[in-house]
Amino acid sequence: MSTAPVRVYAARLVGLPIFDPVGDQVGKVRDLVVAVRSEVHQPRVLGLVAEVFGRRRIFVPMTRVTNIDSGQVYTTGLLNMRRFEQRPTETLVIGQMLDRTVRITSSGVTGTVFDVAMEQARNRDWVLSRVAVQEPAKGLRRRGQTFVIEWRDVEGLTQREETQGATHLIAALNEMRPADAANMIHDLPPERRIAVVAALDDERLADVLEELPEEDQVEIFEHLDSERAADVLEEMSPDDAADLIAELPPETAAALLELMEPDEAEDVKRLMSYVENTAGAMMTPEPVILGPDATIADALAHVRNPDLTPALAALVYVCRPPLETPTGRFLGVAHIQRLLREPPSTLVAGVLDDSMDPLKPEATIDQVAAHLATYNLVAAPVVDENGHLLGAVSVDDLLDHMLPENWRDQAIRSSDRSQGVRRG
């Protein structure tokens, strides 16, 4: 292996891009796979878990890794695209070692693992050589003292821990985009997944749930108490919450809706009242809505909200009061590009686009797709027969409902055929 660093810490590897020999990115590092034999022998690093196109996770043997530096990983380019499946003899460093309670043999200090380092042995194999341990906080200190210890000087890394925490794994997950964090949680062993879900705050868990398959969402909700499940549903976008509740047993769904805040529950119930795969069922009831007396400066301040998706930030919906859906009379939309070209003090009502007919809630998925394509839109208003704005359908809502459930696997197969990826 050429120009390899002396020591590489696992937590710093996560998220690094993986390149082939010609410089094309083929994936990202998500974890390390090791074979743990004992607390005396340094575990051999078998390879990397890499995320490739379509959020598929594959195994990259260390024999295929040619170089690791501070910002990227290089491989031979010959990767087996079969989905990674962990074997009983294998351990995931990020997924299973972080937060493990260990004891430093020389001092008797007990703490939790927050990172692990690997380096190359004389035989050129990569092995785990160091363990970074943090003591519990004492007194007024917010953080306990940290130590970096030789592998052989730590006890507890080879034992199964039923009550393993999740603090440092959560820290790693919080650095990822929700879709990437969801993919890592999906691949965790069941008991580890439960611990991680318990440690995530409600808002972050809601973001992650929106990116998980429905069967994973239901399984996670089975381990939440009713109060927390209702709180998480309130943090989810109403359309995603409605889709999830529809997958739960009717008695569970009814109980959770009762526990939710009335306004939040009402939005979800309204979405659930529409026929599946119609504009009403797909829309979000919370687009950016302003009155006609708002200025362009007001509009730009609202679309800067980092919680908005790019599609929802592309349009401002102008209505008569009330400004919560269902609103007063819908007047039209203001496009973000037009807003950026006008003086901030100009009224939004002066730059309205009222030339397009809005969607009806009963519009089919094909009609929604045709409407967005015809007018080159990334989102469109949904209005009832009385001219009240009910919500907006965005292109990402549409894709969620149009693509088959296994579209990622199909995308991988198409990519493999077009690029000639060699399979094992």
Side-chain angles (χ1 to χ4, degrees):
M1 201 168 292
S2 62
T3 63
V6 174
R7 188 172 301 148
V8 179
Y9 281 89
R12 298 174 189 172
L13 272 178
V14 174
L16 289 187
I18 301 174
F19 294 95
D20 64 15
V22 298
D24 292 331
Q25 185 175 342
V26 295
K28 293 180 180 179
V29 179
R30 287 302 177 214
D31 214 324
L32 293 175
V33 184
V34 300
V36 181
R37 293 181 293 169
S38 71
E39 291 177 343
V40 177
H41 298 93
Q42 295 176 327
R44 185 163 66 93
V45 181
L46 304 177
L48 310 174
V49 179
E51 183 177 299
V52 294
F53 176 76
R55 289 166 58 186
R56 169 178 290 221
R57 295 197 167 205
I58 66 168
F59 177 70
V60 180
M62 291 306 292
T63 53
R64 298 291 188 202
V65 176
T66 57
N67 187 29
I68 302 174
D69 63 30
S70 59
Q72 53 264 322
V73 175
Y74 289 93
T75 70
T76 61
L78 301 174
L79 302 180
N80 187 326
M81 300 302 289
R82 185 180 296 116
R83 188 180 298 278
F84 169 69
E85 293 184 7
Q86 185 181 0
R87 297 173 180 174
T89 56
E90 297 172 345
T91 300
L92 299 176
V93 172
I94 302 297
Q96 294 175 281
M97 279 192 178
L98 295 195
D99 301 294
R100 188 75 64 86
T101 300
V102 296
R103 177 178 174 271
I104 301 173
T105 55
S106 60
S107 64
V109 169
T110 300
T112 57
V113 177
F114 69 91
D115 208 347
V116 179
M118 68 175 186
E119 57 189 72
Q120 278 191 300
R122 291 180 179 177
N123 63 0
R124 311 302 292 167
D125 282 345
W126 284 87
V127 295
L128 297 187
S129 58
R130 302 285 193 279
V131 182
V133 179
Q134 185 174 59
E135 283 187 278
K138 296 178 181 178
L140 298 177
R141 289 188 301 176
R142 297 180 62 183
R143 291 186 178 182
Q145 188 174 354
T146 60
F147 307 87
V148 178
I149 309 299
E150 293 276 354
W151 174 270
R152 63 178 177 271
D153 295 330
V154 174
E155 293 179 347
L157 278 168
T158 62
Q159 302 166 5
R160 184 184 180 88
E161 187 174 347
E162 298 297 335
T163 58
Q164 185 176 352
T167 302
H168 297 99
L169 179 53
I170 294 297
L173 290 171
N174 283 336
E175 295 295 318
M176 302 179 188
R177 294 188 178 193
D180 296 334
N183 212 24
M184 175 168 277
I185 289 173
H186 172 79
D187 290 336
L188 290 175
E191 69 280 359
R192 194 73 171 115
R193 186 190 301 181
I194 294 170
V196 168
V197 167
L200 285 170
D201 64 51
D202 292 347
E203 183 177 0
R204 182 61 171 173
L205 178 55
D207 291 340
V208 170
L209 279 170
E210 291 176 358
E211 303 294 338
L212 283 169
E214 290 174 349
E215 58 269 23
D216 285 354
Q217 294 178 345
V218 173
E219 181 182 330
I220 286 172
F221 259 61
E222 289 174 350
H223 293 94
L224 300 180
D225 63 69
S226 297
E227 291 284 351
R228 189 181 183 210
D231 291 341
V232 172
L233 285 169
E234 291 172 0
E235 295 290 344
M236 296 176 70
S237 62
D239 51 326
D240 287 314
D243 290 341
L244 172 53
I245 289 177
E247 296 297 318
L248 300 174
E251 62 276 10
T252 302
L256 291 177
L257 286 168
E258 284 295 319
L259 289 170
M260 293 174 67
E261 291 293 329
D263 290 347
E264 301 281 354
E266 190 59 36
D267 284 340
V268 173
K269 289 176 183 176
R270 183 150 51 89
L271 292 171
M272 294 176 68
S273 70
Y274 296 109
V275 176
E276 186 178 2
N277 286 337
T278 61
M282 291 186 290
M283 70 183 178
T284 173
E286 299 175 343
V288 177
I289 304 172
L290 295 176
D293 57 345
T295 65
I296 287 178
D298 296 328
L300 292 175
H302 279 79
V303 299
R304 286 191 186 101
N305 182 352
D307 292 333
L308 286 176
T309 64
L312 286 180
L315 290 177
V316 171
Y317 303 81
V318 181
C319 307
R320 298 287 184 193
L323 299 182
E324 293 184 356
T325 55
T327 67
R329 187 163 67 89
F330 173 67
L331 301 177
V333 298
H335 299 272
I336 181 66
Q337 287 180 321
R338 178 68 186 274
L339 295 174
L340 292 171
R341 293 198 299 264
E342 301 292 337
S345 59
T346 303
L347 292 181
V348 173
V351 297
L352 285 187
D353 179 358
D354 56 3
S355 63
M356 295 176 292
D357 292 331
L359 291 164
K360 298 299 182 183
E362 61 272 15
T364 66
I365 193 169
D366 290 337
Q367 290 171 330
V368 173
H371 182 85
L372 295 180
T374 299
Y375 297 106
N376 295 318
L377 297 172
V378 293
V382 181
V383 174
D384 67 14
E385 67 276 6
N386 297 315
H388 302 144
L389 181 70
L390 301 175
V393 175
S394 62
V395 68
D396 48 333
D397 296 326
L398 178 67
L399 289 173
D400 281 344
H401 289 81
M402 288 192 75
L403 291 170
E405 291 184 4
N406 62 341
W407 70 269
R408 292 184 178 90
D409 287 343
Q410 292 176 353
I412 281 289
R413 288 194 290 270
S414 298
S415 175
D416 292 347
R417 286 194 295 269
S418 65
Q419 297 179 28
V421 178
R422 191 174 77 178
R423 296 175 180 267

